[in-house]
Amino acid sequence: MKSMTFFGGGHMASAMIAGMQRANQLPPHLMLVDPDAQARQRWSDCYGARTFEHVAQEPCLSDCWLMAVKPQQMKSLCAAIAGLHAQPSRCVISVAAGIRLARLQSWLGPQHRYIRCMPNTPAVIGRGVTALFAASDLASDDRMFAQTMMACVGRCLWVDAENSLDAVTAVSGSGPAYVFRLIEAMQAAAQALGLNAQDARLLVLETFTGASELAAQSALTPAELREQVTSKGGTTAAALEVFSQEDLSGMIARALTRAAARSAELADLVD
Ligand SMILES: NC(=O)c1ccc[n+]([C@@H]2O[C@H](COP(=O)([O-])OP(=O)(O)OC[C@H]3O[C@@H](n4cnc5c(N)ncnc54)[C@H](OP(=O)(O)O)[C@@H]3O)[C@@H](O)[C@H]2O)c1
């Protein structure tokens, strides 16, 4: 795409544009619409974006619209865009959680080509993972454009059914918060065992990073890797026994089920 407008230049959009710059994928004509003056200044200084405080004709002439406002701000944003005049077909990419394509289409019009993405916060360091969904008849160059853009901030995968994005939201969208919660709990437990805060932080973070990398690189399954460090009657077995008694797997399954259900509920609420 030669020209691209970001509607919303907050956390997620900023992670994406920084990744696009790192990957040398900034579009030749970049525009930002955002009421936040600091965001506009940053995008102008760092990425050479032309910026607008409000929706206007010019940013709506871009080949691609990247919709990155909060879900509750999306309806009024779409009304402002749709109110300008009948827009010819654009590639519309939304990262908003819980806003279904049918809803976006009803707000912006049926002429556009729509893609939904669900990224996550490690996108800030280029280590995110994004699930993408589009109607099966969407042209392959639109798919390729969205995938290339999201690949600037991490790995990508396509899902075949839009409601799979509720599961994606529960797993990887909200997932970083679960990992941060586990890190917090392990650091607190490490300090309760007498380690100082600095050592606890280093030990816990390196354990998470190292174990994740090992699981990603190894030919063994996570269960096999777990068994490798668990000798009968040893320390790891003692800790894992507590996890089993407390039904760790059941708790995680219930938490993710609730998150996915909440994602579907929120999608029904947005209007
Ligand atoms: N952050 C994440 O981890 C994450 C993960 C996956 C998906 N997402 C999705 O990404 C989207 C953005 O999230 P975020 O965390 O980046 O939010 P954010 O930091 O609040 O950014 C949204 C930006 O859009 C601006 N804005 C509000 N109304 C606007 C309008 N009518 N036109 C143009 N800009 C407008 C906001 O300005 P004001 O602050 O002045 O309102 C703000 O600067 C959400 O829909 C969210 O579901 C986020």
Side-chain angles (χ1 to χ4, degrees), residues 6-16 32-37 39 42 52-55 66-74 76-78 80-81 94-99 117-124 129 169 172-174 176:
F6 278 72
F7 292 94
H11 294 103
M12 186 46 69
S14 296
M16 290 168 61
L32 169 72
V33 178
D34 195 304
D36 180 347
R42 204 174 53 247
F52 301 80
E53 185 176 358
H54 304 290
V55 170
L66 196 294
M67 315 296 280
V69 298
K70 293 276 189 211
Q72 61 273 23
Q73 298 165 328
M74 192 66 89
S76 62
L77 168 63
C78 291
I81 295 171
S94 168
V95 296
I99 307 232
C117 301
M118 178 45 63
N120 66 359
T121 49
V124 171
V129 61
T169 302
S172 57
S174 302

Side-chain angles (χ1 to χ4, degrees), residues 50-266:
R50 298 190 49 225
T51 65
F52 301 80
E53 185 176 358
H54 304 290
V55 170
Q57 189 68 46
E58 200 176 347
C60 295
L61 296 175
S62 288
D63 302 324
C64 175
W65 299 341
L66 196 294
M67 315 296 280
V69 298
K70 293 276 189 211
Q72 61 273 23
Q73 298 165 328
M74 192 66 89
K75 186 179 181 185
S76 62
L77 168 63
C78 291
I81 295 171
L84 282 177
H85 66 71
Q87 302 279 352
S89 175
R90 308 284 174 208
C91 179
V92 180
I93 302 175
S94 168
V95 296
I99 307 232
R100 297 193 177 113
L101 290 191
R103 188 80 72 192
L104 268 183
Q105 194 170 334
S106 74
W107 291 337
L108 283 173
Q111 71 274 34
H112 304 300
R113 295 109 60 203
Y114 292 94
I115 301 171
R116 260 184 83 184
C117 301
M118 178 45 63
N120 66 359
T121 49
V124 171
I125 56 162
R127 291 294 309 269
V129 61
T130 301
L132 301 99
F133 170 79
S136 55
D137 59 353
L138 187 83
S140 60
D141 52 348
D142 286 330
R143 283 176 187 269
M144 191 53 70
F145 175 75
Q147 183 171 324
T148 303
M149 187 182 61
M150 297 315 301
C152 295
V153 289
R155 305 280 296 269
C156 295
L157 60 99
W158 288 88
V159 292
D160 294 333
E162 187 167 12
N163 59 14
S164 294
L165 290 180
D166 293 327
V168 168
T169 302
V171 175
S172 57
S174 302
Y178 316 154
V179 176
F180 301 142
R181 185 69 188 84
L182 289 172
I183 290 171
E184 283 178 72
M186 263 180 81
Q187 280 187 202
Q191 287 183 244
L193 287 171
L195 295 169
N196 67 45
Q198 196 183 353
D199 290 350
R201 177 181 151 83
L202 180 72
L203 290 166
V204 172
L205 289 180
E206 287 303 311
T207 301
F208 268 86
T209 313
S212 301
E213 285 294 332
L214 177 60
Q217 289 180 26
S218 175
L220 301 177
T221 65
E224 289 166 335
L225 289 168
R226 170 172 51 76
E227 281 156 17
Q228 275 189 350
V229 281
T230 313
S231 46
K232 209 168 172 211
T235 57
T236 314
L240 291 174
E241 176 60 22
V242 177
F243 287 167
S244 295
Q245 284 163 4
E246 302 288 337
D247 189 23
L248 178 73
S249 299
M251 189 177 68
I252 289 176
R254 287 191 295 281
L256 266 67
T257 302
R258 198 177 298 178
R262 185 67 186 142
S263 172
E265 276 167 27
L266 290 174

